[in-house]
């Protein structure tokens, strides 16, 4: 009995280590550097490679998106007073777990679609892996405080598979245009989280007490969540424009920038209007960043509305052309 108890206590660590060993083996067997990343000099002058300056083109915005995933979402999830440490710490763990698994899964889908032998790894893979992580972070918010750390990893492991299938069908088959990931990232993550929450509720059938103090916020949790909101607010232009090119990227940044600013002003004004004492409420401001991000996608629609274009348009636009080489999220 004692040995079983020790094994149960060590179960989380063992499963996490097994996952990491699996990732290392899969990377060693199936992943290689994209050609231009491993041999820039091999690019012919007659046939210039558009990925030659991928570091200069993508890395600055990748860093912005990376900060959003690990800092912005981490502090935003601290809105529950009883789960502040859990939200920030588990967000860190989930992010590190998901970016590896998403790189592999999305790479396997692209490898199959392009008939290539290996998953070609580039900065764009890292960037789109962060986009996939955003969907998992949103799901995390729906089940925060209801599941253990090990259960979260299992949820993330499965969600990335469904995320990849959903995005492949939407972009390559249905030719869906999704500028900043409202459907493939935000909506998918939200509904996946609700589905998991519903499954857990129907399984446990635990009666929830309305107004439980565990579901509320306190002063410092709202403060941390506001910090996360501001970080997300600052970097949404990079999220929307990261995979764009030329005028697309230029307009996406400008539209997002002014949309964010206008939404903040209106949110604070409406917050004061609807409060009975005409005071400012912090809760509406915690969601303004998502509303302004979604609104901005409509503004950018005409600039991106080409068949098969989306937030991951550089990677997926050739899915419908068999035999074309691609690298990915």
């Amino acid at each position: 009995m004692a040995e079983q108890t020790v094994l149960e206590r060590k179960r989380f660590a063992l499963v996490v280590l097994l996952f990491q060993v699996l990732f290392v083996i899969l990377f060693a067997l199936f992943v290689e550097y994209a050609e231009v990343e491993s041999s820039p000099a091999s690019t012919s002058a007659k046939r210039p490679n558009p990925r030659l300056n991928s570091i200069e083109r993508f890395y600055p915005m990748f860093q912005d998106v990376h900060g959003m995933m690990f800092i912005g979402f981490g502090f935003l999830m601290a809105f529950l007073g009883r789960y502040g440490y859990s939200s920030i710490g588990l967000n860190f763990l989930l992010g590190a777990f998901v970016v590896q698994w998403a790189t592999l899964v999305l790479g396997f889908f692209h490898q199959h679609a392009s008939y290539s032998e290996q998953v070609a790894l580039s900065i764009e893979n890292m960037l789109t892996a962060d986009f996939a992580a955003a969907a998992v972070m949103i799901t995390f918010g729906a089940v925060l405080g209801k599941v253990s750390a090990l259960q979260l990893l299992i949820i993330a492991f499965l969600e990335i598979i469904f995320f990849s299938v959903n995005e492949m069908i939407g972009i390559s088959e249905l030719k869906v245009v999704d500028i900043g990931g409202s459907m493939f990232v935000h909506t998918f993550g939200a509904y996946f989280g609700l589905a998991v929450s519903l499954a857990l509720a129907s399984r446990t059938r635990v009666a929830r007490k309305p107004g439980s103090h565990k579901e509320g916020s306190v002063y410092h949790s709202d403060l941390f969540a506001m910090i996360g909101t501001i970080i997300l607010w600052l970097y949404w232009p990079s999220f929307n424009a990261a995979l764009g090119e030329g005028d697309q990227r230029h307009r996406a940044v400008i539209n997002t920038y002014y949309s964010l600013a206008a939404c903040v002003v209106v949110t604070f004004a409406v917050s004061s209007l609807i409060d009975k004492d005409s005071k400012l409420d912090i809760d509406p401001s915690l969601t303004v960043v998502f509303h302004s991000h979604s609104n901005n996608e409509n503004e950018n629609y005409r600039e991106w509305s080409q068949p098969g274009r989306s937030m991951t348009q550089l990677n997926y636009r050739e899915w419908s052309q068999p035999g074309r080489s691609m690298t990915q999220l």
Side-chain angles (χ1 to χ4, degrees), residues 48-199:
N49 194 319
R51 297 178 183 273
L52 181 60
N53 297 317
S54 60
I55 290 289
E56 290 79 3
R57 289 169 57 205
F58 296 116
Y59 193 72
M61 286 192 171
F62 161 74
Q63 283 289 73
D64 294 345
V65 175
H66 207 51
M68 292 173 68
M69 298 305 107
F70 287 89
I71 304 175
F73 275 107
F75 281 95
L76 181 65
M77 295 303 169
F79 63 92
L80 291 180
R82 290 289 298 270
Y83 299 102
Y85 291 121
S86 299
S87 63
I88 297 174
L90 292 179
N91 184 87
F92 193 14
L93 171 64
L94 280 179
F97 178 89
V98 167
V99 294
Q100 298 178 78
W101 181 230
T103 299
L104 290 166
V105 175
L106 289 161
F108 291 147
F109 276 107
H110 297 164
Q111 176 187 4
H112 173 74
S114 60
Y115 304 101
S116 58
E117 297 181 357
Q118 295 285 318
V119 176
L121 191 62
S122 67
I123 300 299
E124 291 143 283
N125 297 66
M126 297 161 55
L127 181 58
T128 48
D130 274 351
F131 289 144
V136 176
M137 303 309 175
I138 293 169
T139 298
F140 176 36
V143 297
L144 180 61
K146 300 294 185 181
V147 295
S148 65
L150 181 57
Q151 289 172 323
L152 278 173
L153 289 182
I154 301 300
I155 291 170
F157 184 84
L158 296 174
E159 182 174 1
I160 289 300
I161 298 174
F162 291 112
F163 172 89
S164 303
V165 172
N166 177 66
E167 195 165 37
M168 180 191 68
I169 294 173
I171 294 175
S172 64
E173 301 296 332
L174 303 179
K175 308 301 180 185
V176 173
V177 176
D178 188 16
I179 299 169
S182 284
M183 291 180 286
F184 295 131
V185 175
H186 302 291
T187 303
F188 178 85
Y191 279 106
F192 193 93
L194 290 175
V196 172
S197 181
L198 179 62

Side-chain angles (χ1 to χ4, degrees), residues 13 30 46 99 101 154 195 199 219 321:
F30 301 107
K46 298 180 181 179
V99 294
W101 181 230
I154 301 300
Y219 177 81
Q321 303 177 25

